[in-house]
Structure formats: structure tokens, C-alpha cells
Amino acid sequence: MSIFAGIFFILHALVHLLYAGQALRFFELRPGLIWPDKAWAFSRLLGDAATRTLAAVILALIALAFLAGALGLFFGQDWWCGVSASASVLSVLVYILLWDGKFQELPDKGGVGLLISLVILIVVFKFGASS
């Protein structure tokens, strides 16, 4: 089960890297997707360009944390729970803060990833404490 969870963490990390690439406009995850432009918490304060850079940096750090959590899980380290839980919480916060306030195209704006991070957080707390 821990191998499956670790692989899932790695895949979730890769999705965060895809969103970082979207934020930096290296590619489009979907044609016409402008995420994270117009983010309610940052765009007015920082502007869209700085918001995109901030998003990419934070998403890359989250991806590294999920990768570290997976490695900790694979090698039976106790700290994997804290790292994975922290990555999940930060992921949820980032996607909420980078949301544009509109419900249209929510899955493309990280809505599915937010739910996955919440599930990971619940699983880490439920099963991580027993390991």
C-alpha cells in the first residue's frame, strides 16, 4: 500500500509541475486557459505576471515536498507524514488563493487537484498515524 501511495504522491507532484509550467506560460494545459491570471488574492496586489511567477515557484516547492514525502514513505522514514501533510495543506491554500472567483472551468483551475490534496491530507492523518 505504501508503494501505491508513494507513486500517487509522485504523480500528484508532476501535476503541480504541469501547473507551474502553465503559470509560466511554457505551454497551455488547455487552449485559452489563462490560469492563474485574475487570482483574487494576488493579481490586484502584484499584477498577473508576478502572480504567475509566484504561483510557479510555490507549485514547484509543493511538488518537491510531495516527492520528498514519497521518498520518505518508500524508505520507511517517520517524517514522510509531516512533509506530505504540509504539501497537501499548502497545495489547498495555493489553489484557493490563486482562484479567480469564478466557478466556470473550475477543474482546469486546480479544482480537482485541490480535492486530491484534501484526500491525501485525510489519508495521511488516518493511516500515517498508525504506521
Side-chain angles (χ1 to χ4, degrees):
M1 189 66 167
S2 62
I3 291 174
F4 173 74
I7 290 170
F8 191 79
F9 288 2
I10 291 170
L11 293 174
H12 198 49
L14 292 174
V15 172
H16 281 79
L17 291 177
L18 285 172
Y19 273 88
Q22 163 72 35
L24 292 174
R25 301 301 191 257
F26 289 159
F27 50 81
E28 290 182 322
L29 292 175
R30 183 188 48 76
L33 181 63
I34 61 168
W35 181 93
D37 289 1
K38 310 296 182 236
W40 73 270
F42 294 113
S43 288
R44 285 189 181 154
L45 179 65
L46 302 175
D48 284 333
T51 297
R52 287 193 299 270
T53 302
L54 178 65
V57 169
I58 294 172
L59 290 168
L61 291 173
I62 292 168
L64 286 174
F66 274 120
L67 288 173
L71 290 174
L73 185 57
F74 289 149
F75 291 108
Q77 301 298 309
D78 292 335
W79 49 260
W80 78 269
C81 289
V83 171
S84 301
S86 298
S88 295
V89 168
L90 187 56
S91 175
V92 168
L93 289 174
V94 163
Y95 284 113
I96 289 171
L97 293 172
L98 293 174
W99 181 43
D100 64 3
K102 299 176 184 170
F103 287 98
Q104 295 84 3
E105 303 168 345
L106 197 55
D108 293 334
K109 301 174 193 173
V112 174
L114 183 143
L115 293 175
I116 290 170
S117 290
L118 284 172
V119 169
I120 288 173
L121 187 62
I122 292 166
V123 169
V124 165
F125 281 122
K126 180 157 178 69
F127 295 107
S130 64
S131 63

